[in-house]
Amino acid sequence: MDLFDLIGPIMVGPSSSHTAGAVRIGLACRRILGEEVAEADITLYGSFAATGRGHGTDRAIIAGLMGMAPDDERVPDSYAEARRRGLLFSFAFGEMPQGHPNTARLVLRGVKGADADIEAVSVGGGRIEIRRIGDMALCFSAEQPTLIIRNEDKPGTVADVSRVLSEEKINIATFQVNRNSRGGTAVMVIECDTPLNDTLLARIRSLPGILRAVYINRE
Amino acid sequence: MALFYSVTQLEDFAARGGAPLWRQILLASAEESGVTPEQSLEKMNAALDAMLAADAAYDPSQRSHSGLVGGDADKLRRYFESGRSICGEFVGRVLCGAMRMGECNACMHRIVAAPTAGACGVLPAVLLPYAAEHGTPREELIAALYIAAGYGMVIASRASISGAEAGCQAEIGAASAMAAAALVYLHGGSAVQMSDALAIALKNMMGLVCDPVAGLVEVPCVKRNAAGAMNALCAAELALAGVRSRIPADEVIDAMRAVGALMSPLLKETGRGGVAASPTAQRFRSDYFGS
Ligand code: SF4
Protein backbone atom coordinates (compact mmCIF):
# COMPACT_ATOMS: atom_id res chain seq x y z
CA MET A 1 0.00 0.00 0.00
CA ASP A 2 1.27 3.41 -0.97
CA LEU A 3 0.57 6.78 0.72
CA PHE A 4 -0.96 7.92 -2.57
CA ASP A 5 -3.60 5.20 -2.34
CA LEU A 6 -4.95 7.32 0.55
CA ILE A 7 -4.61 10.76 -1.07
CA GLY A 8 -5.20 9.73 -4.66
CA PRO A 9 -5.46 8.60 -7.30
CA ILE A 10 -6.29 11.77 -9.19
CA MET A 11 -9.11 10.51 -11.38
CA VAL A 12 -12.28 11.28 -13.24
CA GLY A 13 -15.23 10.32 -10.99
CA PRO A 14 -17.45 8.85 -9.79
CA SER A 15 -16.04 5.46 -8.75
CA SER A 16 -12.50 4.22 -8.30
CA SER A 17 -13.50 0.65 -9.18
CA HIS A 18 -16.12 1.35 -11.86
CA THR A 19 -14.49 4.38 -13.50
CA ALA A 20 -10.75 4.64 -12.74
CA GLY A 21 -10.37 0.84 -12.74
CA ALA A 22 -12.30 0.62 -16.01
CA VAL A 23 -9.95 3.12 -17.69
CA ARG A 24 -7.01 1.03 -16.49
CA ILE A 25 -8.60 -2.11 -17.92
CA GLY A 26 -8.86 -0.38 -21.30
CA LEU A 27 -5.24 0.80 -21.06
CA ALA A 28 -3.93 -2.62 -20.08
CA CYS A 29 -5.85 -4.37 -22.89
CA ARG A 30 -4.51 -1.86 -25.40
CA ARG A 31 -1.00 -2.74 -24.26
CA ILE A 32 -1.68 -6.45 -24.49
CA LEU A 33 -2.92 -5.96 -28.06
CA GLY A 34 0.27 -4.03 -28.75
CA GLU A 35 -1.15 -1.62 -31.34
CA GLU A 36 -3.92 0.93 -31.88
CA VAL A 37 -7.33 -0.63 -31.41
CA ALA A 38 -9.55 -0.69 -34.51
CA GLU A 39 -12.49 -2.72 -33.21
CA ALA A 40 -13.62 -3.69 -29.71
CA ASP A 41 -16.46 -5.96 -28.64
CA ILE A 42 -16.89 -5.61 -24.91
CA THR A 43 -19.02 -7.63 -22.50
CA LEU A 44 -19.65 -6.35 -18.98
CA TYR A 45 -20.56 -8.71 -16.14
CA GLY A 46 -21.86 -8.48 -12.57
CA SER A 47 -21.86 -5.05 -11.00
CA PHE A 48 -20.11 -3.65 -14.09
CA ALA A 49 -23.18 -4.68 -16.06
CA ALA A 50 -25.68 -3.58 -13.40
CA THR A 51 -24.37 -0.09 -12.59
CA GLY A 52 -21.71 0.48 -15.23
CA ARG A 53 -23.65 2.96 -17.30
CA GLY A 54 -24.28 5.26 -14.33
CA HIS A 55 -20.60 5.10 -13.42
CA GLY A 56 -19.37 5.70 -16.94
CA THR A 57 -17.71 2.26 -17.02
CA ASP A 58 -18.41 1.94 -20.76
CA ARG A 59 -16.96 5.35 -21.62
CA ALA A 60 -14.03 4.68 -19.27
CA ILE A 61 -13.04 1.42 -20.99
CA ILE A 62 -13.22 3.07 -24.43
CA ALA A 63 -11.08 5.97 -23.13
CA GLY A 64 -8.46 3.52 -21.87
CA LEU A 65 -8.45 1.65 -25.16
CA MET A 66 -7.52 4.94 -26.86
CA GLY A 67 -4.64 5.49 -24.42
CA MET A 68 -6.27 7.97 -22.02
CA ALA A 69 -5.30 7.84 -18.33
CA PRO A 70 -7.80 7.71 -15.41
CA ASP A 71 -7.39 11.46 -14.80
CA ASP A 72 -7.90 12.48 -18.44
CA GLU A 73 -10.79 14.93 -18.60
CA ARG A 74 -11.80 13.60 -22.01
CA VAL A 75 -12.90 10.29 -20.40
CA PRO A 76 -16.61 11.29 -20.18
CA ASP A 77 -16.63 12.21 -23.88
CA SER A 78 -14.64 9.23 -25.10
CA TYR A 79 -17.45 8.07 -27.42
CA ALA A 80 -17.09 11.24 -29.48
CA GLU A 81 -13.33 10.79 -29.62
CA ALA A 82 -13.77 7.15 -30.69
CA ARG A 83 -16.08 8.22 -33.53
CA ARG A 84 -13.52 10.79 -34.60
CA ARG A 85 -10.78 8.15 -34.69
CA GLY A 86 -12.98 5.55 -36.37
CA LEU A 87 -12.73 3.11 -33.48
CA LEU A 88 -15.67 0.71 -33.79
CA PHE A 89 -17.04 -0.76 -30.59
CA SER A 90 -20.00 -2.62 -29.14
CA PHE A 91 -21.18 -3.39 -25.62
CA ALA A 92 -23.06 -6.42 -24.39
CA PHE A 93 -24.06 -7.51 -20.90
CA GLY A 94 -23.55 -11.00 -19.60
CA GLU A 95 -23.95 -13.27 -16.61
CA MET A 96 -20.97 -14.89 -14.90
CA PRO A 97 -22.31 -16.31 -11.64
CA GLN A 98 -18.95 -17.55 -10.34
CA GLY A 99 -16.96 -14.56 -11.53
CA HIS A 100 -15.73 -11.43 -9.78
CA PRO A 101 -18.53 -8.80 -9.63
CA ASN A 102 -16.55 -6.30 -11.71
CA THR A 103 -15.52 -8.29 -14.74
CA ALA A 104 -15.14 -7.24 -18.38
CA ARG A 105 -14.31 -9.29 -21.46
CA LEU A 106 -12.71 -7.45 -24.37
CA VAL A 107 -12.36 -8.92 -27.83
CA LEU A 108 -10.05 -6.61 -29.75
CA ARG A 109 -8.72 -6.21 -33.26
CA GLY A 110 -5.85 -3.87 -33.98
CA VAL A 111 -5.22 -1.56 -36.92
CA LYS A 112 -2.41 -3.83 -38.12
CA GLY A 113 -4.41 -7.03 -37.71
CA ALA A 114 -3.45 -8.22 -34.22
CA ASP A 115 -6.24 -9.67 -32.13
CA ALA A 116 -6.78 -10.42 -28.46
CA ASP A 117 -9.49 -11.87 -26.26
CA ILE A 118 -9.00 -10.70 -22.69
CA GLU A 119 -10.80 -10.99 -19.37
CA ALA A 120 -10.07 -8.34 -16.75
CA VAL A 121 -11.46 -7.43 -13.35
CA SER A 122 -11.49 -4.25 -11.30
CA VAL A 123 -10.54 -5.37 -7.79
CA GLY A 124 -11.10 -2.10 -5.87
CA GLY A 125 -9.46 1.27 -5.32
CA GLY A 126 -8.77 1.56 -9.06
CA ARG A 127 -6.53 -1.50 -9.12
CA ILE A 128 -7.12 -4.16 -11.76
CA GLU A 129 -6.12 -7.69 -12.67
CA ILE A 130 -5.92 -9.39 -16.04
CA ARG A 131 -7.39 -12.86 -15.51
CA ARG A 132 -7.32 -14.41 -18.97
CA ILE A 133 -5.65 -13.80 -22.35
CA GLY A 134 -6.92 -16.09 -25.09
CA ASP A 135 -7.03 -19.52 -23.46
CA MET A 136 -4.37 -18.72 -20.85
CA ALA A 137 -5.77 -18.31 -17.34
CA LEU A 138 -3.49 -16.01 -15.36
CA CYS A 139 -3.48 -13.12 -12.90
CA PHE A 140 -1.43 -9.95 -13.04
CA SER A 141 -1.87 -6.18 -12.64
CA ALA A 142 -0.33 -4.91 -15.91
CA GLU A 143 1.29 -2.07 -13.98
CA GLN A 144 4.83 -3.27 -14.69
CA PRO A 145 6.52 -4.47 -17.87
CA THR A 146 5.18 -8.02 -18.02
CA LEU A 147 6.20 -11.07 -20.00
CA ILE A 148 3.68 -13.85 -20.53
CA ILE A 149 5.02 -17.11 -21.81
CA ARG A 150 3.23 -20.29 -22.79
CA ASN A 151 5.59 -23.22 -22.75
CA GLU A 152 5.74 -26.99 -22.76
CA ASP A 153 5.66 -28.17 -19.18
CA LYS A 154 9.14 -29.74 -19.10
CA PRO A 155 11.96 -29.44 -16.58
CA GLY A 156 14.42 -26.63 -17.32
CA THR A 157 12.18 -24.19 -19.17
CA VAL A 158 11.67 -21.89 -16.19
CA ALA A 159 15.40 -21.98 -15.45
CA ASP A 160 16.21 -21.15 -19.10
CA VAL A 161 13.94 -18.09 -19.07
CA SER A 162 15.26 -16.77 -15.77
CA ARG A 163 18.84 -17.30 -16.97
CA VAL A 164 18.24 -15.16 -20.08
CA LEU A 165 16.62 -12.43 -17.98
CA SER A 166 19.46 -12.38 -15.47
CA GLU A 167 22.08 -12.34 -18.23
CA GLU A 168 20.37 -9.26 -19.63
CA LYS A 169 20.36 -7.72 -16.12
CA ILE A 170 16.58 -7.62 -15.87
CA ASN A 171 15.33 -7.59 -12.30
CA ILE A 172 12.24 -9.73 -11.76
CA ALA A 173 9.55 -8.30 -9.48
CA THR A 174 7.22 -11.31 -9.49
CA PHE A 175 7.28 -14.70 -11.20
CA GLN A 176 4.23 -16.96 -11.43
CA VAL A 177 4.00 -20.36 -13.04
CA ASN A 178 0.62 -21.98 -13.73
CA ARG A 179 0.14 -25.23 -15.56
CA ASN A 180 -2.93 -26.79 -17.07
CA SER A 181 -1.91 -30.42 -16.55
CA ARG A 182 1.30 -32.29 -15.80
CA GLY A 183 3.39 -32.69 -18.94
CA GLY A 184 0.99 -30.43 -20.85
CA THR A 185 1.49 -26.71 -21.23
CA ALA A 186 2.25 -24.09 -18.62
CA VAL A 187 2.01 -20.32 -18.46
CA MET A 188 4.64 -18.08 -16.87
CA VAL A 189 3.83 -14.50 -15.90
CA ILE A 190 6.93 -12.47 -15.18
CA GLU A 191 6.66 -8.90 -13.95
CA CYS A 192 9.90 -6.95 -14.37
CA ASP A 193 11.24 -3.72 -12.91
CA THR A 194 12.51 -2.42 -16.24
CA PRO A 195 11.31 -2.71 -19.87
CA LEU A 196 12.59 -5.52 -22.10
CA ASN A 197 14.03 -4.94 -25.57
CA ASP A 198 13.38 -6.79 -28.84
CA THR A 199 16.69 -8.72 -28.83
CA LEU A 200 15.93 -10.14 -25.41
CA LEU A 201 12.41 -11.08 -26.50
CA ALA A 202 13.79 -12.81 -29.58
CA ARG A 203 16.23 -14.79 -27.39
CA ILE A 204 13.39 -15.90 -25.13
CA ARG A 205 11.19 -16.88 -28.08
CA SER A 206 13.97 -19.05 -29.49
CA LEU A 207 14.41 -21.07 -26.29
CA PRO A 208 13.37 -24.74 -26.54
CA GLY A 209 9.84 -25.46 -25.36
CA ILE A 210 8.56 -21.89 -25.70
CA LEU A 211 5.26 -21.91 -27.58
CA ARG A 212 4.32 -18.25 -27.36
CA ALA A 213 5.59 -15.09 -25.63
CA VAL A 214 3.48 -11.94 -25.20
CA TYR A 215 5.17 -8.84 -23.88
CA ILE A 216 3.29 -5.94 -22.34
CA ASN A 217 5.20 -2.74 -21.85
CA ARG A 218 4.21 0.27 -19.77
CA GLU A 219 2.20 2.87 -21.64
CA MET B 1 2.12 -5.41 6.98
CA ALA B 2 1.59 -1.87 5.87
CA LEU B 3 4.19 0.76 6.62
CA PHE B 4 1.92 2.50 9.17
CA TYR B 5 -0.16 -0.02 11.10
CA SER B 6 -1.02 1.65 14.38
CA VAL B 7 -1.81 5.07 15.71
CA THR B 8 0.50 4.39 18.66
CA GLN B 9 3.33 3.90 16.18
CA LEU B 10 2.66 7.39 14.73
CA GLU B 11 2.56 8.84 18.27
CA ASP B 12 5.93 7.19 18.94
CA PHE B 13 7.33 8.77 15.76
CA ALA B 14 6.21 12.17 17.00
CA ALA B 15 7.53 11.57 20.51
CA ARG B 16 11.02 10.53 19.40
CA GLY B 17 11.47 14.00 17.96
CA GLY B 18 13.82 15.00 15.15
CA ALA B 19 11.77 15.79 12.09
CA PRO B 20 8.10 16.72 12.57
CA LEU B 21 5.61 13.85 12.24
CA TRP B 22 4.40 14.79 8.75
CA ARG B 23 7.99 14.82 7.52
CA GLN B 24 8.69 11.42 9.08
CA ILE B 25 5.60 10.07 7.31
CA LEU B 26 6.91 11.52 4.05
CA LEU B 27 10.42 10.13 4.46
CA ALA B 28 9.38 6.63 5.54
CA SER B 29 6.77 6.27 2.80
CA ALA B 30 9.06 7.63 0.08
CA GLU B 31 11.73 5.11 1.03
CA GLU B 32 9.19 2.28 1.10
CA SER B 33 7.91 3.19 -2.39
CA GLY B 34 11.39 3.68 -3.83
CA VAL B 35 10.97 7.37 -4.66
CA THR B 36 12.90 10.42 -3.48
CA PRO B 37 11.35 12.79 -0.92
CA GLU B 38 11.23 15.42 -3.68
CA GLN B 39 9.24 13.10 -5.95
CA SER B 40 6.83 12.38 -3.13
CA LEU B 41 6.38 16.10 -2.45
CA GLU B 42 5.81 16.69 -6.13
CA LYS B 43 3.04 14.11 -6.13
CA MET B 44 1.40 15.57 -3.04
CA ASN B 45 1.56 19.05 -4.57
CA ALA B 46 -0.11 17.67 -7.70
CA ALA B 47 -2.86 16.18 -5.51
CA LEU B 48 -3.41 19.54 -3.81
CA ASP B 49 -3.47 21.32 -7.18
CA ALA B 50 -6.03 18.82 -8.46
CA MET B 51 -8.19 19.39 -5.36
CA LEU B 52 -8.05 23.16 -5.88
CA ALA B 53 -8.79 22.83 -9.60
CA ALA B 54 -11.77 20.53 -8.98
CA ASP B 55 -13.15 22.90 -6.37
CA ALA B 56 -12.81 25.85 -8.77
CA ALA B 57 -14.27 23.95 -11.74
CA TYR B 58 -17.67 23.40 -10.11
CA ASP B 59 -20.49 24.11 -12.54
CA PRO B 60 -23.93 24.64 -10.92
CA SER B 61 -25.70 23.57 -14.11
CA GLN B 62 -24.02 20.15 -14.29
CA ARG B 63 -26.10 17.04 -13.59
CA SER B 64 -25.01 13.44 -13.11
CA HIS B 65 -25.84 10.84 -15.76
CA SER B 66 -28.80 9.61 -13.69
CA GLY B 67 -30.00 13.17 -13.01
CA LEU B 68 -30.08 12.54 -9.24
CA VAL B 69 -27.20 14.89 -8.44
CA GLY B 70 -26.36 18.48 -9.30
CA GLY B 71 -26.97 22.11 -8.36
CA ASP B 72 -27.32 21.61 -4.61
CA ALA B 73 -23.96 23.11 -3.68
CA ASP B 74 -25.02 26.30 -5.43
CA LYS B 75 -28.35 26.35 -3.57
CA LEU B 76 -26.38 26.04 -0.36
CA ARG B 77 -24.01 28.84 -1.34
CA ARG B 78 -26.85 31.24 -2.01
CA TYR B 79 -28.43 30.34 1.32
CA PHE B 80 -25.25 30.98 3.28
CA GLU B 81 -24.58 34.21 1.41
CA SER B 82 -28.02 35.47 2.35
CA GLY B 83 -26.84 35.69 5.96
CA ARG B 84 -29.87 33.73 7.18
CA SER B 85 -28.01 30.52 8.03
CA ILE B 86 -27.76 29.00 11.49
CA CYS B 87 -24.02 28.36 11.57
CA GLY B 88 -22.53 31.28 9.70
CA GLU B 89 -19.88 31.71 7.08
CA PHE B 90 -17.08 29.31 7.94
CA VAL B 91 -19.34 26.30 8.34
CA GLY B 92 -21.11 27.42 5.17
CA ARG B 93 -17.88 27.24 3.24
CA VAL B 94 -17.16 23.77 4.60
CA LEU B 95 -20.60 22.44 3.67
CA CYS B 96 -20.53 24.05 0.22
CA GLY B 97 -17.05 22.68 -0.45
CA ALA B 98 -18.09 19.14 0.47
CA MET B 99 -21.21 19.27 -1.71
CA ARG B 100 -19.34 20.85 -4.63
CA MET B 101 -16.73 18.13 -4.67
CA GLY B 102 -19.26 15.35 -4.21
CA GLU B 103 -21.27 16.71 -7.14
CA CYS B 104 -18.14 17.10 -9.28
CA ASN B 105 -17.32 13.45 -8.65
CA ALA B 106 -20.82 12.25 -9.51
CA CYS B 107 -20.68 14.32 -12.71
CA MET B 108 -17.46 12.67 -13.90
CA HIS B 109 -15.12 15.56 -13.24
CA ARG B 110 -11.50 15.16 -12.24
CA ILE B 111 -11.16 14.73 -8.46
CA VAL B 112 -8.71 13.34 -5.93
CA ALA B 113 -9.85 10.16 -4.20
CA ALA B 114 -9.34 10.76 -0.46
CA PRO B 115 -9.34 7.98 0.48
CA THR B 116 -11.99 7.00 -2.11
CA ALA B 117 -13.77 8.79 -4.93
CA GLY B 118 -17.12 8.64 -3.11
CA ALA B 119 -15.58 10.39 -0.08
CA CYS B 120 -13.43 12.83 -2.08
CA GLY B 121 -15.20 15.93 -0.71
CA VAL B 122 -14.43 15.60 2.99
CA LEU B 123 -10.74 16.54 3.19
CA PRO B 124 -10.79 19.52 0.80
CA ALA B 125 -14.02 20.74 2.40
CA VAL B 126 -12.30 21.28 5.74
CA LEU B 127 -8.73 22.01 4.66
CA LEU B 128 -9.37 24.69 2.03
CA PRO B 129 -11.70 26.91 4.13
CA TYR B 130 -9.40 26.44 7.13
CA ALA B 131 -6.44 27.68 5.09
CA ALA B 132 -8.42 30.65 3.76
CA GLU B 133 -9.62 31.57 7.25
CA HIS B 134 -6.23 31.27 8.96
CA GLY B 135 -3.90 32.33 6.16
CA THR B 136 -2.24 28.89 6.18
CA PRO B 137 0.72 28.69 3.78
CA ARG B 138 0.71 26.02 1.09
CA GLU B 139 3.55 24.02 2.70
CA GLU B 140 1.44 23.59 5.82
CA LEU B 141 -1.48 22.30 3.74
CA ILE B 142 0.86 19.78 2.15
CA ALA B 143 2.05 18.74 5.61
CA ALA B 144 -1.59 18.29 6.67
CA LEU B 145 -2.18 16.01 3.66
CA TYR B 146 0.75 13.82 4.75
CA ILE B 147 -0.78 13.63 8.23
CA ALA B 148 -4.15 12.65 6.72
CA ALA B 149 -2.55 10.03 4.48
CA GLY B 150 -0.41 8.57 7.30
CA TYR B 151 -3.40 8.15 9.62
CA GLY B 152 -5.48 6.95 6.66
CA MET B 153 -2.97 4.19 6.03
CA VAL B 154 -3.41 2.97 9.61
CA ILE B 155 -7.18 2.74 9.02
CA ALA B 156 -6.66 0.99 5.68
CA SER B 157 -4.22 -1.54 7.12
CA ARG B 158 -6.05 -2.31 10.40
CA ALA B 159 -9.55 -2.12 8.94
CA SER B 160 -10.54 -1.02 5.44
CA ILE B 161 -11.22 1.99 3.26
CA SER B 162 -13.68 0.21 1.00
CA GLY B 163 -17.45 0.50 1.24
CA ALA B 164 -17.77 -2.91 -0.40
CA GLU B 165 -15.68 -4.40 2.40
CA ALA B 166 -16.78 -2.50 5.50
CA GLY B 167 -19.57 -0.07 4.66
CA CYS B 168 -19.53 3.71 4.48
CA GLN B 169 -17.87 3.97 7.90
CA ALA B 170 -14.77 2.89 5.97
CA GLU B 171 -15.18 5.58 3.28
CA ILE B 172 -16.85 8.72 4.67
CA GLY B 173 -15.89 7.58 8.19
CA ALA B 174 -12.23 7.12 7.27
CA ALA B 175 -12.17 10.41 5.32
CA SER B 176 -13.68 12.20 8.29
CA ALA B 177 -11.12 10.71 10.69
CA MET B 178 -8.24 11.61 8.36
CA ALA B 179 -9.60 15.15 8.06
CA ALA B 180 -10.02 15.47 11.84
CA ALA B 181 -6.37 14.51 12.42
CA ALA B 182 -5.25 16.94 9.70
CA LEU B 183 -7.26 19.78 11.24
CA VAL B 184 -5.76 19.15 14.67
CA TYR B 185 -2.33 19.29 13.05
CA LEU B 186 -3.08 22.59 11.29
CA HIS B 187 -4.39 24.11 14.50
CA GLY B 188 -1.21 23.23 16.40
CA GLY B 189 -2.45 20.17 18.29
CA SER B 190 -0.27 17.29 19.48
CA ALA B 191 0.00 13.79 18.03
CA VAL B 192 -2.05 12.48 20.94
CA GLN B 193 -4.77 15.00 20.09
CA MET B 194 -4.63 13.90 16.45
CA SER B 195 -5.22 10.31 17.58
CA ASP B 196 -8.08 11.43 19.81
CA ALA B 197 -9.66 13.38 16.96
CA LEU B 198 -9.35 10.36 14.69
CA ALA B 199 -10.88 8.08 17.32
CA ILE B 200 -13.76 10.45 18.04
CA ALA B 201 -14.52 11.00 14.34
CA LEU B 202 -14.51 7.27 13.66
CA LYS B 203 -16.66 6.42 16.68
CA ASN B 204 -19.26 8.94 15.54
CA MET B 205 -19.48 7.22 12.15
CA MET B 206 -19.33 3.65 13.50
CA GLY B 207 -21.77 1.37 11.73
CA LEU B 208 -22.56 3.70 8.84
CA VAL B 209 -23.72 1.48 5.98
CA CYS B 210 -22.94 1.73 2.29
CA ASP B 211 -26.31 1.99 0.54
CA PRO B 212 -25.95 3.79 -2.78
CA VAL B 213 -29.26 4.19 -4.60
CA ALA B 214 -29.23 2.12 -7.80
CA GLY B 215 -25.61 1.33 -6.97
CA LEU B 216 -24.51 4.80 -8.09
CA VAL B 217 -22.06 6.98 -6.11
CA GLU B 218 -24.66 9.76 -5.85
CA VAL B 219 -27.36 9.27 -3.19
CA PRO B 220 -26.62 9.32 -0.25
CA CYS B 221 -22.90 9.79 -1.02
CA VAL B 222 -22.80 13.49 -1.90
CA LYS B 223 -24.58 14.64 1.25
CA ARG B 224 -22.53 12.26 3.38
CA ASN B 225 -19.45 14.22 2.34
CA ALA B 226 -21.05 17.23 4.03
CA ALA B 227 -21.76 15.14 7.15
CA GLY B 228 -18.23 13.73 7.17
CA ALA B 229 -16.74 17.23 6.98
CA MET B 230 -18.91 18.52 9.85
CA ASN B 231 -18.03 15.47 11.92
CA ALA B 232 -14.33 16.17 11.31
CA LEU B 233 -14.77 19.72 12.64
CA CYS B 234 -16.61 18.37 15.67
CA ALA B 235 -13.96 15.75 16.46
CA ALA B 236 -11.08 18.19 15.96
CA GLU B 237 -12.67 20.81 18.24
CA LEU B 238 -13.27 18.24 21.00
CA ALA B 239 -9.74 16.89 20.78
CA LEU B 240 -8.19 20.37 20.69
CA ALA B 241 -10.18 21.23 23.81
CA GLY B 242 -8.42 18.34 25.52
CA VAL B 243 -11.38 15.96 25.45
CA ARG B 244 -9.91 12.46 25.34
CA SER B 245 -11.30 9.47 23.52
CA ARG B 246 -12.00 6.96 26.29
CA ILE B 247 -11.28 4.18 23.80
CA PRO B 248 -7.77 4.32 22.23
CA ALA B 249 -7.75 5.05 18.49
CA ASP B 250 -6.30 1.68 17.47
CA GLU B 251 -9.06 -0.14 19.36
CA VAL B 252 -11.67 2.06 17.68
CA ILE B 253 -10.25 1.15 14.25
CA ASP B 254 -10.29 -2.54 15.20
CA ALA B 255 -13.90 -2.20 16.35
CA MET B 256 -14.80 -0.58 13.04
CA ARG B 257 -13.26 -3.51 11.21
CA ALA B 258 -15.28 -5.95 13.32
CA VAL B 259 -18.47 -3.98 12.64
CA GLY B 260 -17.70 -4.10 8.93
CA ALA B 261 -17.35 -7.88 9.10
CA LEU B 262 -20.71 -8.15 10.89
CA MET B 263 -22.50 -6.04 8.29
CA SER B 264 -24.80 -7.85 5.91
CA PRO B 265 -23.64 -7.82 2.28
CA LEU B 266 -26.90 -5.96 1.60
CA LEU B 267 -25.29 -2.97 3.34
CA LYS B 268 -21.94 -3.08 1.56
CA GLU B 269 -22.16 -1.28 -1.79
CA THR B 270 -24.57 -3.74 -3.36
CA GLY B 271 -27.32 -1.11 -3.52
CA ARG B 272 -29.80 -3.58 -2.00
CA GLY B 273 -30.10 -2.35 1.61
CA GLY B 274 -30.45 0.91 3.56
CA VAL B 275 -31.98 3.80 1.60
CA ALA B 276 -31.17 1.91 -1.61
CA ALA B 277 -33.89 -0.58 -0.62
CA SER B 278 -36.53 2.11 -0.04
CA PRO B 279 -39.58 2.10 -2.32
CA THR B 280 -38.53 5.40 -3.92
CA ALA B 281 -35.02 4.10 -4.63
CA GLN B 282 -36.47 0.90 -6.09
CA ARG B 283 -38.78 2.87 -8.37
CA PHE B 284 -35.91 5.07 -9.46
CA ARG B 285 -33.77 2.04 -10.12
CA SER B 286 -36.28 0.35 -12.38
CA ASP B 287 -37.07 3.61 -14.24
CA TYR B 288 -33.39 4.40 -14.78
CA PHE B 289 -32.26 0.97 -15.85
CA GLY B 290 -35.48 0.23 -17.66
CA SER B 291 -35.03 3.21 -19.95
S1 SF4 C 1 -22.58 5.14 0.56
FE1 SF4 C 1 -21.10 3.68 -0.23
S2 SF4 C 1 -20.58 4.44 -2.30
FE2 SF4 C 1 -21.55 6.13 -1.16
S3 SF4 C 1 -19.83 7.24 -0.24
FE3 SF4 C 1 -20.57 5.79 1.28
S4 SF4 C 1 -19.25 4.01 0.97
FE4 SF4 C 1 -19.02 5.26 -0.87
Side-chain angles (χ1 to χ4, degrees):
Chain A
M1 194 189 328
D2 186 88
L3 215 56
F4 294 97
D5 291 330
L6 283 311
I7 305 288
I10 301 173
M11 55 170 274
V12 165
S15 159
S16 47
S17 55
H18 286 63
T19 322
V23 177
R24 285 195 180 142
I25 284 176
L27 269 175
C29 290
R30 165 194 170 89
R31 262 172 287 171
I32 292 168
L33 186 69
E35 57 187 54
E36 285 292 327
V37 183
E39 275 177 59
D41 295 310
I42 299 156
T43 312
L44 302 177
Y45 299 91
S47 163
F48 261 10
T51 66
R53 197 177 53 168
H55 285 128
T57 304
D58 48 355
R59 289 173 275 169
I61 291 180
I62 298 300
L65 285 177
M66 292 186 292
M68 295 180 197
D71 70 339
D72 194 314
E73 285 176 304
R74 296 170 301 167
V75 168
D77 304 317
S78 67
Y79 277 17
E81 177 68 17
R83 271 194 296 278
R84 210 177 55 74
R85 295 192 193 187
L87 164 61
L88 300 173
F89 62 88
S90 72
F91 278 96
F93 302 97
E95 302 270 342
M96 194 187 275
Q98 305 307 323
H100 186 281
N102 296 330
T103 300
R105 176 184 176 195
L106 290 85
V107 178
L108 306 177
R109 276 164 302 280
V111 289
K112 292 184 220 140
D115 54 36
D117 179 350
I118 305 159
E119 207 173 283
V121 302
S122 178
V123 293
R127 288 184 307 276
I128 66 154
E129 282 169 13
I130 302 296
R131 294 282 177 87
R132 181 178 61 76
I133 300 177
D135 60 356
M136 299 187 288
L138 31 76
C139 183
F140 66 101
S141 71
E143 275 165 23
Q144 317 248 57
T146 307
L147 185 58
I148 297 155
I149 297 171
R150 153 157 285 177
N151 58 285
E152 290 166 13
D153 187 16
K154 288 199 188 111
T157 321
V158 169
D160 283 345
V161 170
S162 29
R163 181 176 42 77
V164 171
L165 289 171
S166 84
E167 279 170 12
E168 303 279 343
K169 309 241 180 312
I170 298 293
N171 203 26
I172 296 172
T174 71
F175 199 129
Q176 309 163 29
V177 185
N178 309 302
R179 63 177 173 190
N180 300 336
S181 60
R182 190 181 292 274
T185 62
V187 174
M188 290 182 240
V189 178
I190 308 162
E191 294 182 294
C192 307
D193 289 338
T194 44
L196 314 184
N197 61 35
D198 289 343
T199 340
L200 190 158
L201 289 173
R203 267 190 81 187
I204 296 225
R205 288 191 175 112
S206 68
L207 289 170
I210 302 294
L211 302 171
R212 188 168 170 224
V214 181
Y215 173 63
I216 307 157
N217 205 346
R218 287 198 197 99
E219 187 67 9
Chain B
M1 195 190 292
L3 180 59
F4 306 121
Y5 52 85
S6 86
V7 167
T8 339
Q9 176 200 15
L10 292 180
E11 282 173 20
D12 290 345
F13 273 14
R16 85 179 170 209
L21 179 58
W22 73 268
R23 179 99 195 145
Q24 295 194 53
I25 292 173
L26 182 168
L27 293 174
S29 64
E31 187 181 330
E32 169 90 0
S33 306
V35 299
T36 65
E38 292 71 33
Q39 286 169 323
S40 173
L41 273 167
E42 217 170 273
K43 231 173 150 177
M44 200 57 99
N45 272 286
L48 178 57
D49 283 337
M51 279 180 186
L52 290 163
D55 191 55
Y58 175 71
D59 169 6
S61 70
Q62 74 196 4
R63 295 294 177 272
S64 64
H65 192 265
S66 74
L68 285 175
V69 161
D72 286 338
D74 199 49
K75 210 174 272 174
L76 202 54
R77 179 188 59 79
R78 279 182 270 127
Y79 165 71
F80 275 99
E81 282 179 2
S82 74
R84 287 183 287 110
S85 76
I86 299 169
C87 290
E89 241 179 80
F90 178 74
V91 163
R93 281 206 291 271
V94 169
L95 289 175
C96 287
M99 297 285 288
R100 268 202 304 273
M101 203 63 91
E103 288 185 19
C104 281
N105 180 56
C107 298
M108 293 192 82
H109 286 270
R110 194 164 173 263
I111 53 89
V112 183
T116 62
C120 70
V122 175
L123 258 180
V126 299
L127 295 186
L128 305 183
Y130 182 96
E133 185 84 5
H134 297 268
T136 310
R138 184 183 174 95
E139 304 79 72
E140 275 294 279
L141 268 182
I142 294 291
L145 287 176
Y146 275 101
I147 294 286
Y151 279 91
M153 190 183 283
V154 175
I155 299 175
S157 70
R158 286 187 97 89
S160 167
I161 53 162
S162 150
E165 243 166 46
C168 200
Q169 55 169 1
E171 292 205 10
I172 296 289
S176 188
M178 289 160 65
L183 276 172
V184 168
Y185 166 79
L186 285 177
H187 213 62
S190 68
V192 171
Q193 287 172 317
M194 292 179 217
S195 306
D196 280 329
L198 173 134
I200 294 167
L202 219 46
K203 282 189 293 185
N204 293 350
M205 292 256 160
M206 182 81 59
L208 190 63
V209 302
C210 172
D211 51 353
V213 170
L216 305 172
V217 191
E218 301 190 9
V219 179
C221 316
V222 173
K223 296 181 188 92
R224 276 200 190 143
N225 277 275
M230 289 300 286
N231 182 50
L233 291 177
C234 158
E237 293 280 43
L238 293 186
L240 284 162
V243 176
R244 302 297 316 271
S245 172
R246 301 284 179 203
I247 311 296
D250 287 324
E251 291 182 37
V252 173
I253 299 172
D254 294 348
M256 171 208 153
R257 176 201 184 95
V259 168
L262 286 170
M263 260 180 208
S264 156
L266 297 178
L267 301 172
K268 293 195 270 197
E269 215 180 278
T270 50
R272 292 185 291 139
V275 293
S278 64
T280 302
Q282 295 296 335
R283 266 197 308 278
F284 171 80
R285 188 185 184 112
S286 51
D287 290 352
Y288 179 53
F289 290 120
S291 64

